[in-house]
Amino acid sequence: MLKLTNLAKYFGGVRAVDGLDMQINKGEIFGLIGPNGSGKSTTVNLICGVFPQTAGTIELDNVDLGRLAPHQRIEFGVSRTFQNIRLFGDLTVWQNLWVAWRDAPGHETSWLVNWFGSPADRRHEIQKLLEFSGLGDRADRPASSLSFGEQRRLELARAMASKPKLILLDEPAAGMNSEEVADLRNRILTMKNLGMTVLLVEHVMDLVMSVTDRITVLNFGKPIAEGTPLEIQNNEMVQEAYFGSAKNVEAGN
Amino acid sequence: MSLYVASTLTNVALISFLALSAYLVLVVGEVSFGQQAFFAIGAYVTATVTAIFGGHIILALFLSTIAGGLAALLLAALVIRLSGLYFAIASLCFAELLRLTLLRIRIPLEIDGRSTGMDGPEGFSNIRWIFENDFEVTDFLILTVVCLLALLLLLFYFERTTVMLRARLVGRDSLLAQSLGVRPDHYRMAFIGLSGMVAGFGGALFALFNTHIEPQMFGVMLGVHALAYTVIGGLGAPLGPLIGVGIDIGLLESIRALSEYRMIAFGGLVAVLLIIFPQGLLSPRAVNRLWGRIRRRDV
Ligand SMILES: Nc1ncnc2c1ncn2[C@@H]1O[C@H](COP(=O)(O)OP(=O)(O)OP(=O)(O)O)[C@@H](O)[C@H]1O
Ligand SMILES: [Mg+2]
């Protein structure tokens, strides 16, 4: 479904992403992990078109995404959350979802209704999305007044409001307690059941290992391993990249 | 109502159009120091249509609105790739360029034994519409206020639509807007165009009311004021800029003793207000708090 070929992004001398090949199949939950600064967020930003790639291609179902403007990519079903929560704090929870809403392909309402109206079926579906996210009683609160965990849930709901085929989650579990992470795990699995393909960038290993089908490990912008969670856990290079220094210290002792 | 009060109120209403036009630009996250240009264009178009061609006021207002909108779209198209400071500077240059051009154009005609039409620094005199139609100052006040209320109603309605929500999104966080499939360029163009229309319309009424206009009336300070009104009034609702206008003209004008120090008083007031209300009096947050319950399910 999503195919990255030899993808690269340099910021001046910094090679944030450096020759990444990755293929995500339809319906998969795909993990992208790696140490801090290894280029995970940059990869997500490249897929969304926040900045152009230095080299390589990004294809989604044989469409060359890399050539499209960021706002066009969402029409091809790409949606995301941000590592640092990015909400429209002045607006209510409801309005945050409303602006992100897109009709399912083939069921578009006319632009007039879209812009000036307030169709009942859309209201109904947003209400369902709110309940799915456990924000049912927060609809009329300004987004900035929500707790951290609620804001994360709102981000996730907003990403789903555009009915994406592919959803990119950039560290959705950051700062969550174990109960919230368990909650998140269920939501991600539900998204998979709803037919979405998920790219999960995450540091919380329990979550990644228990929810993903396959994983790619990045280090200094390069992929150093790919495989199932089990294979990755037992991969020496990965352990080196993550725990290398710790092990050396241990060995030294 | 005394003549003085009526004409002050008319000025408040006229300047409100300019303030609202600056507001529309600020909504999409741009700062314009050049709204007075579209105000001037509206004024000169209406002056020409009524005083030289004897055109109907409806036609004059219509053409002024269109001309203001087109000029704004032209500016937007030229500089839409610039943003932030660069857009602010470009808008300022545009307005000054227009003013300097107006100072150069001298094509006065003799109508009814009086010089009429653009005459450089001497301005455009003999805009006789209100005399020919027996408009008293209070009549014109009513006309202006009715137009302003109509515009406000339109904006209040607009405020509740998805277009406006998305425009605000562009203004607040255009990266986020893009990731939600909103195209910032389009919204910026559209809103800058709309702002030109509003300013053009206001300028048209301004010309009719003043019966004489000259390029110096449309200097930088006019644009700065228009912007300041929204900044102190707040970006949350169209009432914000109007409160700003009210504070400046209503309050400061009434304290006549201040007249010599008017600009200093206004500058000081802006500074103090911004320290207390950094987001303006009617900030988006304050507005949402006030209206949150009412807005509820409609968008
Ligand atoms: N816009 C930018 N301009 C310049 N350098 C950048 C930019 N974005 C990222 N970088 C650099 O690229 C490298 C990769 O950053 P990236 O954010 O992709 O890492 P990450 O894997 O997401 O890390 P983390 O786990 O901390 O989120 C870092 O060295 C970072 O400093
Ligand atoms: Mg990151």
Side-chain angles (χ1 to χ4, degrees):
Chain A
M1 168 172 208
L2 181 75
K3 193 169 162 209
L4 310 180
T5 317
N6 196 25
L7 190 63
K9 178 69 192 176
Y10 304 160
F11 294 106
V14 181
R15 302 188 159 200
V17 175
D18 194 9
L20 173 60
D21 290 308
M22 201 167 97
Q23 180 153 8
I24 306 181
N25 300 322
K26 187 167 164 40
E28 241 179 353
I29 300 178
F30 195 97
L32 183 62
I33 63 173
N36 288 112
S38 57
K40 307 180 296 293
S41 294
T42 304
T43 306
V44 170
N45 286 336
L46 285 171
I47 298 171
C48 293
V50 173
F51 30 62
Q53 67 264 38
T54 310
T57 58
I58 306 165
E59 277 173 71
L60 181 75
D61 291 335
N62 299 324
V63 176
D64 187 357
L65 271 196
R67 290 168 180 275
L68 299 176
H71 64 89
Q72 288 171 315
R73 299 188 188 194
I74 199 159
E75 288 164 24
F76 288 90
V78 182
S79 174
R80 73 174 295 183
T81 65
F82 292 84
Q83 180 169 356
N84 302 312
I85 297 176
R86 249 182 145 123
L87 289 168
F88 202 14
D90 299 330
L91 288 191
T92 62
V93 170
W94 178 271
Q95 290 169 326
N96 267 280
L97 294 181
W98 187 272
V99 288
W101 186 262
R102 294 185 88 82
D103 291 309
H107 294 86
E108 284 97 355
T109 37
S110 92
W111 64 271
L112 264 176
V113 177
N114 238 329
W115 282 14
F116 297 103
S118 173
D121 51 340
R122 183 179 312 175
R123 292 208 296 268
H124 179 67
E125 292 203 42
I126 290 182
Q127 191 60 43
K128 280 205 319 212
L129 197 52
L130 278 173
E131 271 146 31
F132 169 76
S133 314
L135 294 168
D137 57 340
R138 293 284 190 273
D140 299 317
R141 299 266 302 271
S144 57
S145 75
L146 299 185
S147 73
F148 180 80
E150 287 170 335
Q151 294 196 359
R152 281 249 181 255
R153 297 207 295 262
L154 178 55
E155 269 230 328
L156 196 68
R158 186 184 59 197
M160 293 172 69
S162 64
K163 302 203 180 62
K165 292 191 285 189
L166 172 68
I167 190 162
L168 315 170
L169 308 178
D170 197 352
E171 303 200 17
M176 284 188 168
N177 61 34
S178 58
E179 199 178 315
E180 288 170 323
V181 172
D183 234 29
L184 176 64
R185 176 185 297 119
N186 289 335
R187 288 208 180 85
I188 295 177
L189 289 171
T190 312
M191 287 156 76
K192 178 181 177 170
N193 291 337
L194 289 172
M196 291 179 216
T197 307
V198 181
L199 175 66
L200 176 64
V201 172
E202 194 47 81
H203 278 299
V204 179
M205 283 306 139
D206 287 351
L207 176 63
V208 181
M209 294 304 167
S210 65
V211 85
T212 56
D213 300 305
R214 280 187 309 135
I215 297 174
T216 284
V217 186
L218 277 183
N219 199 16
F220 297 112
K222 292 187 188 350
I224 56 167
E226 206 225 284
T228 63
L230 204 66
E231 287 166 357
I232 295 298
Q233 269 170 318
N234 298 323
N235 184 308
E236 275 186 23
M237 273 172 65
V238 176
Q239 291 182 355
E240 180 100 1
Y242 263 95
F243 313 110
S245 50
K247 268 204 164 166
N248 291 343
V249 172
E250 247 177 27
N253 290 341
Chain B
M1 194 184 298
S2 78
L3 206 63
Y4 168 72
V5 173
S7 80
T8 304
L9 285 179
T10 310
N11 278 321
V12 167
L14 288 172
I15 208 80
S16 296
F17 284 97
L18 196 59
L20 285 171
S21 93
Y23 167 80
L24 287 172
V25 181
L26 274 171
V27 161
V28 284
E30 297 291 359
V31 173
S32 165
F33 286 104
Q35 294 309 107
Q36 68 275 22
F38 315 126
F39 201 67
I41 288 171
Y44 274 90
V45 167
T46 281
T48 308
V49 170
T50 59
I52 294 182
F53 296 105
H56 195 271
I57 180 177
I58 303 283
L59 177 69
L61 289 174
F62 176 75
L63 289 178
S64 286
T65 308
I66 299 293
L70 286 180
L73 273 183
L74 174 72
L75 171 69
L78 288 176
V79 301
I80 201 68
R81 305 224 161 264
L82 309 178
S83 60
L85 188 58
Y86 300 102
F87 179 83
I89 293 171
S91 64
L92 179 63
C93 293
F94 181 82
E96 281 299 273
L97 208 65
L98 179 82
R99 191 175 64 86
L100 295 175
T101 310
L102 289 175
L103 279 173
R104 302 246 153 209
I105 301 178
R106 286 175 172 266
I107 38 171
L109 302 167
E110 190 88 6
I111 294 180
D112 299 342
R114 287 189 57 197
S115 161
T116 309
M118 299 166 76
D119 193 7
E122 267 77 71
F124 193 133
S125 301
N126 201 16
I127 308 168
R128 311 170 299 282
W129 187 86
I130 53 173
F131 306 125
E132 286 172 356
N133 292 275
D134 288 328
F135 257 60
E136 303 287 332
V137 172
T138 45
D139 297 331
F140 200 81
L141 171 64
I142 292 168
L143 172 69
T144 315
V145 168
V146 167
C147 291
L148 183 63
L149 284 179
L151 175 64
L152 275 176
L153 277 179
L154 215 68
L155 286 177
F156 275 124
Y157 170 71
F158 201 44
E159 209 55 58
R160 304 165 67 106
T161 63
T162 312
V163 199
M164 195 63 174
L165 271 183
R166 295 214 163 128
R168 286 185 180 280
L169 193 59
V170 167
R172 284 316 279 285
D173 188 341
S174 82
L175 174 68
L176 178 56
Q178 283 185 315
S179 88
L180 299 178
V182 175
R183 186 166 180 179
D185 281 9
H186 283 181
Y187 279 81
R188 293 215 170 98
M189 290 277 289
F191 273 69
I192 291 169
L194 278 179
S195 85
M197 292 174 74
V198 170
F201 186 89
L205 291 176
F206 177 83
L208 294 176
F209 182 63
N210 275 275
T211 69
H212 168 85
I213 53 175
E214 53 189 44
Q216 289 89 320
M217 290 173 166
F218 309 104
V220 179
M221 282 323 285
L222 186 62
V224 171
H225 270 90
L227 196 61
Y229 294 146
T230 302
V231 171
I232 58 177
L235 250 188
L239 274 186
L242 298 199
I243 292 176
V245 177
I247 290 177
D248 180 34
I249 302 187
L251 198 74
L252 297 187
E253 181 91 0
S254 62
I255 311 172
R256 306 234 72 193
L258 276 177
S259 62
E260 271 179 60
Y261 306 102
R262 172 80 177 275
M263 284 312 297
I264 300 173
F266 182 61
L269 190 69
V270 170
V272 170
L273 279 175
L274 285 185
I275 290 168
I276 309 175
F277 303 99
Q279 301 272 338
L281 294 168
L282 282 183
S283 66
R285 177 167 304 182
V287 170
N288 248 18
R289 200 167 298 151
L290 290 173
W291 292 88
R293 302 283 146 207
I294 302 166
R295 292 232 280 213
R296 251 182 89 84
R297 283 297 118 96
D298 305 63
V299 181

